[in-house]
Amino acid sequence: MGHPSVISRTPLLRVLAPYVAGILLHEVCPRWWPPLALIALAVIGGWVLGRISSATPSRRLRMRPYLALPLLVVALALGWLAAVIHHPPVLDAELRHSGNRVGQILDLDHTDFSTRLTVRLLDVPSATMPCRVLVTTRGCDYTLSPGDVITWPADLEPIRSRGNPDEMDYVSYMLHDQGIRYCQHLPGRDVQVLGRSPSLSTRMAALRRGLASNVYATSLSAEAQRLVVTLLLGQRGAIDPETRQQFSTAGVAHVLALSGLHVGLVALMLWWLLFPLDYIGLRRLRLVITLAAVGLFACFTGLSPSVVRSTVMTGTVLVAMALYRRSDPFNALLLAALAILVWSPSAIFGVGFQLSFVTVGSLLLVNRLPVAAIRTPYRWANYLISLVVASLTALLATLALTAHYFHTVSTLSVVTNVLVLPAMPLLMVLGALTVLTAAAGLQWSLLQGALDGLSGYVSRAIGWVNAIPHAYAGGVYVSTTAVVLYFVVLALVIGWFYSRRRRCLIGAAVALALLAGHSLWVDAHTRRQGLVIFNSPTATPLLYYHDGEAMVWVPDEAAEAVDSAAFVRSYSGFLARHGIRRLRFVDNAADGTATLRLGGARFEPPRVYVPGRRLVVASSRSPKTAPGDTVRMENVDDLIVTRTCHGRVAAWGQRYRFGRVILSGALHDASKQISECDSLHIHYHDLSASGAIELP
């Protein structure tokens, strides 16, 4: 007898695969009637197949492979229909722009100059999903909290991407990951609190914020505080971008996300603490309490995909133990994926969902291969071998995804995981004790000292690895097509390990050749020289690139305020796509005397000269004309108006003869400049409305 097929060992795959295909079809045709029509056709087809196959036993045997088709079609239609139901509703112009809206604050986040509110509208009827909007206020209001019912004058606009080349699709991210289609920015005084209507999610959010405040009030180091709040309370914004970047380049960014490590630790701790129940015949009660605690932990931390995945898998194992049944981890993984996608179909587009399930799925597949069965007489050596194999598997499985989303590949992630992962369980236990003692108003110096030392070790280990030459490769660009081809190669290679069929290797070689050809085609069709004026809400960055080098000028920022690391993070996709490895920044403190040259272009503030085009920047640093001075008109192609420019366009026309005005995306209100350009019949380009400009 042959080995059972993958489909027979994982029956949930027959449902999950078409269900995912239905979600993807919704992106092509977001209508409700096609899935209903498919369900009707599947019912009719199933009835016909049943009548045909019931004639004789031999015909039933021949028709058996086709009897699963109606089930596949129904699963596809249900995925399509679920995506339709969970899609954020579209509001008409009257609801978006007239009267006051009333909503409940689901979550909020404070920045230096504004408050970011995720609000569920209460006065907008919706037949499917509740309508969520993003409201940002000028100025921080620390009196607001999740669960507050607020009202404000409505002027909702669809969320738009900034229009910068090779940037993240912000519209798709907000729509799929946050379920938000509209946003509004308004003064903080326009938001009025009507009362409170807390729900379970808002109560949990308030509880997390309260516990985080208690941790911040301890004498722990700032580094340890942020790590504890991130690991145990799910406060993703607690880690600053620089620290998160260091974890990412070292290949251990996954430890900052709540995942199976956290859920497994909670389950194990409770399972051990409740062992006396076994001695009085209450083993099932022990399992039920552990399962309930794991579910409560998932709700408390915000139900992220990785936590839900771990909770469902842990729950499957516990239920199987309670019923004295064997559980298959791969089926448990598929059940977790199906549960998440039924609850939130758009989760499939999230990077957290993709990384979580790809990593765990690859670990489960490799665990069944002979290489995972390597054992030695020494327990510590076996642990080290399993850790290295798991780290290598996770690295290869997520290589294309991390390069696609983050444009960074860690080459020494195995070393970092060996150094950091053994310390994480102890760090989480100490962190949990710190959260509990801080909530009780206690200060335990010995506990806090141990936690400071452990977090310091983790930070130093990551710093050591990042300091090694070529520890990571930055500026890596991988397209969506390349990601798909990469996973086709991996699937065929793993299929060969299981089946030893030569056609798997041949298919992998063909897919690898297609991957190489696609990468060469993308590289050949990428421009190597040009000027880009980016659309940014805070500044007006100008970048000229030529053969892997670039000059950057941010004219409306002080010299000491230009953050090169933040610039690289903001435009990492563009830099990776064009192979830009070296950046030189124009010194704003040079008072117009500094000049940068590159590939036939030069930056001489306030002027920029590129081959075939001249630009001048109107900012507070631009030269001014004293009364009575003779002004010599200067011909330029474009006048760039930044947020620090206080003069009128007509006044600049007395000094420069320009053909177009480029309005910065950082202007708080460009209506005056637009009206002036219209009255003077001057062509203009508004970066905030039309996106970035690319000049050859």
Side-chain angles (χ1 to χ4, degrees), residues 146-167:
D148 286 348
V149 177
I150 61 174
T151 182
W152 72 96
D155 190 17
L156 298 170
E157 295 290 343
I159 292 177
R160 294 179 299 183
S161 296
R162 295 177 184 171
N164 294 318
D166 301 295
E167 70 175 352

Side-chain angles (χ1 to χ4, degrees), residues 142-316:
Y142 295 100
T143 63
L144 299 175
S145 62
D148 286 348
V149 177
I150 61 174
T151 182
W152 72 96
D155 190 17
L156 298 170
E157 295 290 343
I159 292 177
R160 294 179 299 183
S161 296
R162 295 177 184 171
N164 294 318
D166 301 295
E167 70 175 352
M168 180 191 73
D169 188 352
Y170 185 66
V171 174
S172 178
Y173 166 75
M174 293 299 293
L175 195 64
H176 291 142
D177 194 69
Q178 306 293 328
I180 298 175
R181 188 188 295 273
Y182 302 102
C183 65
Q184 182 176 350
H185 185 70
L186 73 167
R189 62 179 180 273
D190 290 347
V191 177
Q192 303 295 327
V193 178
L194 300 179
R196 283 189 59 79
S197 178
S199 60
L200 177 61
S201 61
T202 58
R203 290 180 188 274
M204 291 297 181
L207 179 59
R208 290 195 299 269
R209 290 182 177 276
L211 293 176
S213 299
N214 294 332
V215 173
Y216 288 133
T218 63
S219 58
L220 279 172
S221 65
E223 180 182 50
Q225 290 175 352
R226 291 193 295 266
L227 201 57
V228 169
V229 169
T230 301
L231 290 176
L232 296 174
L233 303 179
Q235 302 288 328
R236 292 179 294 180
I239 296 293
D240 57 277
E242 292 77 11
T243 303
R244 191 174 295 276
Q245 182 69 19
Q246 292 176 1
F247 274 76
S248 179
T249 54
V252 288
H254 56 89
V255 304
L256 296 177
L258 290 170
S259 60
L261 177 65
H262 308 73
V263 176
L265 185 60
V266 171
L268 285 175
M269 289 177 62
L270 284 173
W271 184 253
W272 290 336
L273 290 174
L274 296 174
F275 75 92
L277 294 178
D278 277 10
Y279 294 98
I280 57 176
L282 296 177
R283 184 171 184 270
R284 290 192 177 183
L285 179 61
R286 181 186 181 190
L287 291 168
V288 170
I289 294 175
T290 304
L291 181 59
V294 169
L296 184 62
F297 176 77
C299 295
F300 170 72
T301 54
L303 295 174
S304 65
S306 57
V307 172
V308 174
R309 183 258 307 159
S310 305
T311 302
V312 173
M313 293 185 69
T314 303
T316 303

Side-chain angles (χ1 to χ4, degrees), residues 41-90:
L41 289 176
V43 171
I44 296 173
W47 179 80
V48 172
L49 289 175
R51 297 282 296 180
I52 295 175
S53 62
S54 62
T56 60
S58 60
R59 181 173 295 179
R60 185 182 303 112
L61 185 63
R62 289 195 304 269
M63 295 297 297
R64 185 177 179 182
Y66 303 100
L67 293 177
L69 287 178
L71 175 64
L72 299 180
V73 174
V74 169
L76 184 144
L78 290 177
W80 197 338
L81 194 60
V84 171
I85 294 174
H86 287 82
H87 204 56
V90 177

